[in-house]
Amino acid sequence: MSEQHTHERTAATGQPAVTEQTPVATDDTSLPLFHRTVRPEWIDYNGHMSEAFYVLVFGYATDAMMIETGLHAGYRESTGCSLYTAEAHVRYLREVAAGSHLAVRTRLLGVDAKKARFCHELYVVDAPDDVPEPEAAPVATTELLALHVDQRAGRTAPFPDSVRERLASLVEPAPAWAGRSIAEVPAVR
């Protein structure tokens, strides 16, 4: 098991964001799944999970990825560096009901000296710690570009070699949906 990691309480839930120990992936070439259960207060006026809470869950999955790759609280406190999201593209594919059990798969798609590209795929599973079936389709996805930032200097900074190497060891081919942009909508004339 990796370190115990607790974030500050979120305004949305009043609960710590990531409190459980994050299991270490068994093969060291992939990240463990991140799990959450949809809370009743995450449900919007349409009767399903509100778009903001998909992003919240994806943010928690990013936090778990940071822990697994050495960008944990101790690292941030000792270096003054952290990972900042510079760009994100979210796709909402299916509605999610209250009480649904969620599993998030995180994939590293690329890394260089100061940035990382990764994605999250959100699945609904039958039980809190279940793994999505191989043929399961995600209910939402996000692709992100993140920058390694020295908060004290106020600019990007290179990853330490150990972190960059850990990130690079996790890089895998991008899923077919990654790299797309939002389609243009022609103006009405």
Side-chain angles (χ1 to χ4, degrees), residues 32-137:
L33 293 173
F34 177 78
H35 292 90
R36 272 294 177 266
T37 299
V38 178
R39 301 173 58 90
E41 59 268 24
W42 294 0
I43 302 304
D44 67 12
Y45 46 82
N46 293 318
H48 54 79
M49 192 162 87
S50 178
E51 63 188 53
F53 294 101
Y54 287 81
V55 175
L56 180 73
V57 172
F58 286 142
Y60 293 163
T62 297
D63 293 343
M65 184 238 355
M66 290 174 66
I67 293 167
E68 288 292 326
T69 59
L71 297 168
H72 47 71
Y75 170 81
R76 293 189 305 274
E77 290 167 11
S78 68
T79 66
C81 294
S82 189
L83 206 57
Y84 283 26
T85 300
E87 185 175 348
H89 181 199
V90 180
R91 298 182 322 140
Y92 303 96
L93 304 172
R94 290 186 180 66
E95 296 177 357
V96 177
S100 295
H101 302 294
L102 305 174
V104 181
R105 178 178 182 214
T106 301
R107 301 184 200 203
L108 266 291
L109 306 179
V111 63
D112 72 11
K114 299 179 184 180
K115 60 189 170 214
R117 177 180 167 226
F118 56 97
C119 67
H120 299 300
E121 296 167 311
L122 179 66
Y123 297 89
V124 172
V125 293
D126 292 333
D129 292 322
D130 276 0
V131 173
E133 295 295 327
E135 68 281 353

Side-chain angles (χ1 to χ4, degrees), residues 125-176:
V125 293
D126 292 333
D129 292 322
D130 276 0
V131 173
E133 295 295 327
E135 68 281 353
V139 296
T141 65
T142 188
E143 180 180 6
L144 303 112
L145 177 67
L147 305 175
H148 185 248
V149 174
D150 182 331
Q151 296 173 303
R152 297 173 190 144
R155 63 177 181 263
T156 59
F159 288 110
D161 290 343
S162 61
V163 171
R164 190 184 69 256
E165 290 166 6
R166 173 67 175 138
L167 291 167
S169 75
L170 296 167
V171 170
E172 59 183 285

